[in-house]
Structures are given as C-alpha cells and as structure tokens.
C-alpha cells in the first residue's frame, strides 16, 4: 500500500436498537396490548437513550453519514436500546418469573426482526448480532435459525450465567444444541462485556466494584467453553470476546495452559490424588490445550486498542484482533476514530493495520471487501494519516482511550 491508499475500517463493536415504541410492529400481535401497558409506564434508566443524540441507534442515514465521517465503512451491530418487556439492557436484567420470561422472549424476537430490517437498510455494511435467552435451549436454537435466515450475519449474543442466575454454567453440555447450531450455520458466538456480572446493589462502592469485576466475569466464558470441551465437540464453533480489552489474553492463556497441563498430568498418573480427581476426563473432553483452542477458534473484538496492548498483538494472534469504535457510546472513539487509530497503530506495518482494522472482521463476519472497497477509497483513513503519531489527544474527546492514565503513553 502507498501513503495515499486508504484502509478499509470495519468496526467490530457498534451498538443499535429501535426507539421504544418502534418495536411494536415487530412484536407478535398477541403481545400488543401488554406492550402498550408496559410502554405507558416504562421509565428508561439510561441517560444516553434520552438525549438528543439517541437516534444514532436507529436513524440509519445519520448513522451511515457519521460513521463515514469517522472513516468507518461497515460495522458489527450489537444491541443497545431496551427491548420490549425488559427493565434495562437485556443482558443486565435479572432472571424473571416464567411469565416475564415468555414476554422477554417475545421482546428479543422483536428486536431481532427490527435489526434484520435495520441491517438491510445498508446492504453489506452491517452484521447484526441477534439475541437469545439461555433458559430455553430449544427456543434459542429456533431463534438462531430464524435470525440467520433473516439475514443477520453477526452471530449470536451469548448471555452470561452470573452467580444467582439459576442457569447451568456455560461449560454445561446443556448448551450443546446452541453451539452445534452456530457451528453448522457458520456464525460466531459473541460474548460482550457487562453481560455476566451479578447484581451488586446500590451501595456507594458498587460502581467501582463493577468496573473491577465486570471484565473478569465476562472472561469466564472463555475458560468455561474451553474446559467444557465445546470446541472439541463442535469443531466449527467460533467465539468472539468483545469490549473486554485484549491485553489480558496472553496471561490468561498462560494460566489456563498451566492448569490444563497440571491437571491432565496428575490424572494420567496411577496415584489416587486429589489433583488426579480434578483432572479426570479433562484431556478427552477438551482434545487440545487452551492456547491451541484459542488459536483455532477464538477472536477478540478489541474495540479501541490502547497503545500498551498493541505490542502483545503477536502473542494474542494478529489474525485474532478486530478493532471497534463502540459507536454510538460516549466512551467510543467517534468522532475521533482517526486519532484513535493513530494513537494505537502509528508505526506498524500496513499489513498488520489492515488486518486489525478490517480484514479480520471481514473474515469472521463475512463482509465482502470488494463491495466495501469503493466506499473505503472515498472515506477511509489514509496510510499516511494513520502512520502519523498522535502528540496530543483531542481536547473534547470523551473516549477513555484518550484519557491520561488510559494508556502508558504520557501526553
């Protein structure tokens, strides 16, 4: 690539959803009266969904225009607004009663239908991530088939199983039909940050504790599926861990390899030790060790990478990293994506940058790079632009990637 060539930037972490009342046409008619009653008294708990900029979630033309202004040509679309019958974001809501559970399933189906239409409004430029609940595996499998048939190529959004949820843990074979269906249909399983933390209450320390623990609870999906043997039983399964950072991955893989080797070794010995019992059956269930499973099946939606994470790219796997802007969240890089890319990637080879900002996401989510090339040629950041180090952050930037202390680079 020359200095004037432009990168094809695909955000592997964006969010969207319908305005509250606009979900009604996507609900089964049997739920319309209940929806009217629910919507009449619902109070949205999220300030960003009440602000003047909330329509970024559903205004397709505005969204295309702003993403193009930011140098982005395509996006993986995670949910953001409140689906029908949920008190808060779908993945953060506590386990409901059976009646609420049925209504919430209807609400998620409505969101998935809306999302299919939203993605169709920008052909080839949006990979919608559809939602399920884990409390009914058969219904989840049906919804996976429906969503993929409707054109949602972003794959499944995997809820967490936080302590107190009453759900089987993610390593349970209970969920094998879900893994099998995603593997057979060739769509990834996505696990987004914030989806697995238990409720922490309203004490003053709760927000700080949430920030400390939320990514750890999200990381659990990795070792649950690895040690549970999901990838061994379903060789086509792919897992994407999104908005959880990426710098933690090499250390966690080292830890998982250590425990795997230690327990498998103990189980292979004739001695009847405690560790031998812990490791019994592990080798047969997993097939490969954790690092090998990572290399064969796993990816990271690294969102806006910090400079201190970039030197770890080879240990993480250059072919595993997918950059994301987190649009339209305040913590996202919009409208300073070009500056965020410069901050992280200035000085790297063009091949490495091209892979992380778009090539890997195109491969994982099925974007057509030939279709996107003319758009990138018009709006993408140039090679020379990204290669210029960022000396000062934008004064009004809201993304933590630009904050002092947000990286090892000192302003």
């Amino acid at each position: 690539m020359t200095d004037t060539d432009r990168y094809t930037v695909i955000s592997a972490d964006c969010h969207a959803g319908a305005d509250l009342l606009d979900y009604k046409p996507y609900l089964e008619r049997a739920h319309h009266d209940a929806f009217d009653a629910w919507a009449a008294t619902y109070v949205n708990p999220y300030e960003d969904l009440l602000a003047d900029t909330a329509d970024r979630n559903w205004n397709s033309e505005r969204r295309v225009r702003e993403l193009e202004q930011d140098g982005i040509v395509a996006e993986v679309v995670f949910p953001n607004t409140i689906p029908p019958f949920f008190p808060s974001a779908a993945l953060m809501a506590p386990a409901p009663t059976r009646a609420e559970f049925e209504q919430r399933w209807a609400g998620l189906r409505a969101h998935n239908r809306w999302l299919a239409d939203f993605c169709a409004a920008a052909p080839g430029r949006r990979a919608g991530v559809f939602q399920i609940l884990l409390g009914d595996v058969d219904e989840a499998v049906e919804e996976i088939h429906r969503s993929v048939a409707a054109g949602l190529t972003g794959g499944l959004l995997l809820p967490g199983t936080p302590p107190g949820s009453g759900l089987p843990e993610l390593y349970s074979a209970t969920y094998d039909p879900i893994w099998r269906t995603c593997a057979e249909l060739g769509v990834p399983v996505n696990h987004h940050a914030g989806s697995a933390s238990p409720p922490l209450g309203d004490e003053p320390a709760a927000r700080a504790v949430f920030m400390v623990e939320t990514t750890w609870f999200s990381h659990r999906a990795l070792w649950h599926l690895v040690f549970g043997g999901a990838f061994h039983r379903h060789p086509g399964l792919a897992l994407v861990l999104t908005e959880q950072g990426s710098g933690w991955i090499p250390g966690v893989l080292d830890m998982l390899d250590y425990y795997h080797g230690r327990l498998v070794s103990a189980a292979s010995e004739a001695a009847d030790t405690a560790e031998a019992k812990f490791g019994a059956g592990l080798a047969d269930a997993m097939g490969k060790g954790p690092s090998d499973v990572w290399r064969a099946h796993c990816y990271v939606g690294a969102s806006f990478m910090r400079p201190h994470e970039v030197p770890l790219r080879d240990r993480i796997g250059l072919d595993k990293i997918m950059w994301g802007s987190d649009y339209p969240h305040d913590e996202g890089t919009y409208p300073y994506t070009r500056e965020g890319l410069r901050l992280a990637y200035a000085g790297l080879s063009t091949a490495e940058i091209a892979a992380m900002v778009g090539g890997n996401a195109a491969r994982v989510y099925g974007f057509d790079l030939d279709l996107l090339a003319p758009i990138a040629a018009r709006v993408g950041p140039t090679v020379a632009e990204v290669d210029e180090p960022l000396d000062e952050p934008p004064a009004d930037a809201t993304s933590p990637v630009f904050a002092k202390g947000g990286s090892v680079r000192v302003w």
Side-chain angles (χ1 to χ4, degrees), residues 241-301:
L241 302 172
T242 297
E243 205 178 316
Q244 303 176 31
S246 60
W248 59 275
I249 293 169
V252 165
L253 291 177
D254 287 345
M255 177 191 70
L256 299 182
D257 284 340
Y258 165 74
Y259 278 107
H260 173 263
R262 174 176 160 182
L263 295 174
V264 168
S265 176
S268 66
E269 298 174 358
D272 186 21
T273 65
E275 288 210 349
K277 295 176 182 177
F278 277 109
L282 191 61
D284 290 338
M286 291 177 57
K288 299 178 180 178
S291 284
D292 290 331
V293 172
W294 172 267
R295 285 189 288 269
H297 299 278
C298 302
Y299 303 87
V300 56

Side-chain angles (χ1 to χ4, degrees), residues 171-173 175-176 179 225 227-236 285-286:
Y171 55 70
S172 171
Y175 304 120
D176 265 10
W179 316 143
L225 268 66
F227 284 124
F231 301 102
H232 183 49
R233 294 190 299 276
H234 310 289
M286 291 177 57

Side-chain angles (χ1 to χ4, degrees), residues 9-17 56-57 59-68 72-78 115 118-119 121-122 124-129 153-154 323-328 357 361 365 367 372:
V9 181
I10 299 171
S11 173
D13 180 26
C14 287
H15 297 265
R56 288 173 173 161
N57 286 281
N59 185 329
S60 183
E61 292 181 359
R62 176 178 184 171
R63 192 178 183 99
V64 169
R65 181 175 66 252
E66 291 188 347
L67 287 175
E68 286 190 356
I72 298 170
V73 301
E75 56 176 328
V76 179
V77 186
F78 287 85
L115 184 59
F118 186 71
C119 290
R125 302 183 67 174
R126 293 174 181 152
V129 178
T153 58
W323 176 91
S325 72
D326 201 25
Y327 177 95
V357 302
Y365 292 104
F367 288 102
L372 298 175

Side-chain angles (χ1 to χ4, degrees), residues 30 69 114 122 150 153 174 195 251 267 307 310 329 353 384 394:
Q69 290 170 351
W114 174 88
T153 58
T174 300
S195 66
V310 177
H329 289 164
I353 297 171

Side-chain angles (χ1 to χ4, degrees), residues 299 368 409:
Y299 303 87
D368 184 343
R409 189 169 288 175

